[in-house]
Amino acid sequence: MSFTVAIVGRPNVGKSTLFNRLTETQEAIVEPTAGVTRDRKYGTAEWQGKEFIVIDTGGVVANSEDQFEQDINSQVKLAIQEADLILFLVDGREGLTEWDEEVAHLLRRVRKRVLVVCNKVDTSDKEDLVNDFYSLGLSDKIYPVSGNNGYGTGELLDDLAAYIPEEPEEKPTDLPKIAIVGKPNVGKSSLLNTLIGEQRSIVSEVAGTTRDAVHTHFKSFGRELILVDTAGLRRRKQVEDDIEYYSTIRTIKAIRQSDVCMLLIDATEGVTNQDLAIFHEISEANRGVVILVNKWDLVEKDHKSVKQFTDEIKKRLAPFTDVPILFTSNVTRQRLLKALEVAVKVAENRKQKIPTSRLNDVMLPLIQAYPPPVYKGKEVKIKFVTQLPTRSPAIAFFCSTPQYIKEPYQRFLENKLREHFDFEGIPVRLYFRQK
């Protein structure tokens, strides 16, 4: 999934409300005060089996001398640059304003598809509120919607989904795609160059030097795969959040297109919140992950350093801790080939199919010995276990009352699966269904 949709408009037209509606979250702060959304916020949405990235932006104020509003405008322009399709949101209750005209002028210079969406149209008898906005000349169709109650969003999403290209079927013979991900300036491009033995990606101490994902066919040392160096943004005279955010959007795209991610962590800085954010993106996308603690040659260490660092990483990653962790250096080439070997193994783990008979032979005796706790006086009986036919491991447990199986017992089952089957580096989804 890499199709990106940006929601753009003047302040206080309901961009964050629509963002929450499309992503089915409450991540964006909704407040009837202009300027609440400062930075771009991204999320994922799905419609008709197609996934896409949604970017919520701050309100555009053209020709402003206010530094705060100028920073917001810079953020919006970056979101527009990154998007494949733009939702231009206007306010049907207030009608066409001079600020809407300014935003429209900005979008006319962008050679990208723009859908004009008229928000705050709660019912069908208010759809005539869209008429004023045809004069903008950006679209032959105006979409009346209500981000608040969902009116009209189905038709909008139907048309939006039609513009998202079909993703090709994943072929069993496809080479494993290994994405090199991490925050800016952690050594991603240096790792790629070192592995392939040439200057494939530009290396600089300036964060965000790589602009686009670089795909490289790697065939050496008995391995054949696709390496993907993830992109950032060349440093500008903007706040650093611009660089980090742009890099994160590109990283998400690379994650979604990969089988396994090698997540680089800077050994001199330790695990940061940005590292954890990328790790959770990998986990939520159900991709494999290998953690490389890079720049290990720059750390003063003793015989306890590796264990202490490993324990700290797993503590921060909990509850998903069944992850390979290697300590590497691009300068000394320490464990780089080992990292590739482990990444390929994790890719194989992600594709493994466990026979149903084997799953039941292993799991049912364990469940019988440690059954789910009685809930509201009712016993939960698990009778059958099978792996679902999905691209990443998903295990279904058929039981009498699945709604009574709580998270602690789900963790118990996942831990037992990991003890008996090799799911290292792979998120495992568990489903509980009525028998």
Side-chain angles (χ1 to χ4, degrees):
M1 177 201 67
S2 59
F3 195 85
T4 304
V5 177
I7 304 174
V8 176
R10 63 177 176 83
N12 208 27
V13 293
K15 295 183 295 298
S16 294
T17 303
L18 181 62
F19 173 88
N20 289 342
R21 172 69 55 180
L22 298 182
T23 59
E24 298 183 287
T25 66
Q26 293 296 321
E27 291 186 0
I29 300 172
V30 178
E31 176 70 30
T33 303
V36 170
T37 302
R38 301 184 181 184
D39 301 319
R40 292 152 292 164
K41 178 175 284 293
Y42 67 89
T44 57
E46 185 271 334
W47 191 256
Q48 296 180 354
K50 294 181 177 180
E51 289 187 332
F52 55 97
I53 297 171
V54 186
I55 307 177
D56 180 25
T57 64
V60 176
V61 180
N63 303 317
S64 174
E65 295 182 1
D66 182 273
Q67 184 60 48
F68 173 74
E69 292 176 342
Q70 289 179 8
D71 289 342
I72 291 178
N73 290 345
S74 297
Q75 292 270 341
V76 174
K77 289 176 181 177
L78 288 174
I80 291 172
Q81 181 180 350
E82 182 64 20
D84 299 296
L85 181 146
I86 298 163
L87 298 182
F88 176 23
L89 199 63
V90 295
D91 187 332
R93 292 179 184 173
E94 293 191 13
L96 183 62
T97 69
E98 185 178 335
W99 282 3
D100 293 322
E101 294 276 10
E102 293 289 351
V103 178
H105 179 67
L106 170 66
L107 295 178
R108 288 190 194 101
R109 293 177 289 175
V110 179
R111 294 185 178 180
K112 295 188 178 181
R113 188 175 300 278
V114 177
L115 303 184
V116 181
V117 182
C118 185
N119 194 28
K120 305 183 184 179
V121 180
D122 302 317
T123 57
S124 59
D125 60 349
K126 295 180 180 178
E127 289 192 4
D128 59 347
L129 296 175
V130 308
N131 294 334
D132 288 347
F133 298 100
Y134 283 103
S135 64
L136 295 172
L138 286 171
S139 177
D140 295 332
K141 182 176 182 179
I142 309 292
Y143 295 87
V145 304
S146 170
N148 191 38
N149 66 21
Y151 176 82
T153 54
E155 182 178 356
L156 170 64
L157 285 167
D158 285 342
D159 288 359
L160 189 157
Y163 296 118
I164 303 176
E166 295 284 349
E167 293 195 6
E169 290 286 334
E170 183 177 332
K171 299 178 182 179
T173 56
D174 280 351
L175 297 177
K177 295 183 179 65
I178 313 296
I180 305 172
V181 302
K183 63 187 179 184
N185 205 28
V186 75
K188 302 185 294 295
S189 296
S190 295
L191 173 59
L192 176 65
N193 293 339
T194 303
L195 286 173
I196 66 176
E198 62 180 82
Q199 192 77 2
R200 182 68 176 86
S201 293
I202 298 173
V203 178
S204 170
E205 293 182 0
V206 177
T209 300
T210 306
R211 292 182 64 103
D212 295 299
V214 178
H215 291 66
T216 302
H217 187 176
F218 178 89
K219 188 175 183 180
S220 188
F221 302 103
R223 301 289 180 190
E224 186 173 7
L225 45 87
I226 302 297
L227 286 173
V228 184
D229 180 21
T230 55
L233 177 69
R234 184 175 43 176
R235 185 178 290 276
R236 297 185 178 189
K237 295 179 181 178
Q238 307 283 338
V239 294
E240 265 190 23
D241 284 352
D242 284 349
I243 297 168
E244 293 182 0
Y245 186 87
Y246 203 112
S247 177
T248 301
I249 287 292
R250 290 293 180 87
T251 299
I252 292 170
K253 290 185 177 184
I255 289 170
R256 300 282 175 171
Q257 295 169 351
S258 70
D259 298 304
V260 177
C261 298
M262 293 196 295
L263 172 57
L264 272 65
I265 294 175
D266 191 327
T268 64
E269 298 180 6
V271 183
T272 66
N273 289 334
Q274 192 172 355
D275 296 325
L276 294 177
I278 297 173
F279 177 81
H280 291 308
E281 286 291 344
I282 298 169
S283 178
E284 290 176 8
N286 296 306
R287 266 50 181 181
V289 60
V290 178
I291 292 180
L292 306 185
V293 183
N294 199 31
K295 305 182 183 180
W296 191 238
D297 56 303
L298 301 180
V299 176
E300 292 186 11
K301 44 193 174 288
D302 55 30
H303 66 286
K304 296 181 180 180
S305 298
V306 169
K307 183 179 185 307
Q308 290 173 345
F309 214 109
T310 300
D311 291 344
E312 177 62 23
I313 292 174
K314 291 191 173 184
K315 180 180 177 181
R316 299 290 301 277
L317 299 184
F320 180 23
T321 59
D322 188 15
V323 177
I325 301 173
L326 291 88
F327 294 79
T328 63
S329 167
N330 294 334
V331 175
T332 66
R333 302 191 177 206
Q334 184 180 16
R335 300 186 185 89
L336 296 188
L337 292 180
K338 178 66 174 178
L340 271 187
E341 180 182 331
V342 173
V344 172
K345 180 61 170 65
V346 171
E348 294 171 354
N349 290 350
R350 184 170 180 261
K351 294 180 179 180
Q352 69 176 312
K353 304 298 179 185
I354 303 172
T356 299
S357 58
R358 172 69 176 150
L359 267 176
N360 284 274
D361 288 345
V362 170
M363 295 304 296
L364 290 184
L366 294 172
I367 292 169
Q368 186 174 5
Y370 300 95
V374 174
Y375 187 79
K376 293 184 178 180
K378 296 184 179 180
E379 292 184 5
V380 182
K381 295 183 178 180
I382 299 176
K383 297 294 186 180
F384 184 71
V385 188
T386 188
Q387 183 173 356
L388 300 176
T390 54
R391 292 183 179 181
S392 57
I395 310 297
F397 294 81
F398 290 85
C399 47
S400 55
T401 48
Q403 67 272 25
Y404 294 150
I405 297 183
K406 304 303 177 182
E407 186 174 348
Y409 195 76
Q410 293 179 26
R411 294 293 179 198
F412 164 77
L413 293 176
E414 181 178 340
N415 289 338
K416 291 302 177 183
L417 282 168
R418 292 185 181 279
E419 284 180 17
H420 291 84
F421 305 101
D422 191 356
F423 287 120
E424 186 180 31
I426 305 296
V428 178
R429 292 171 292 170
L430 304 187
Y431 294 92
F432 299 88
R433 297 177 174 175
Q434 193 79 29
K435 66 179 180 180

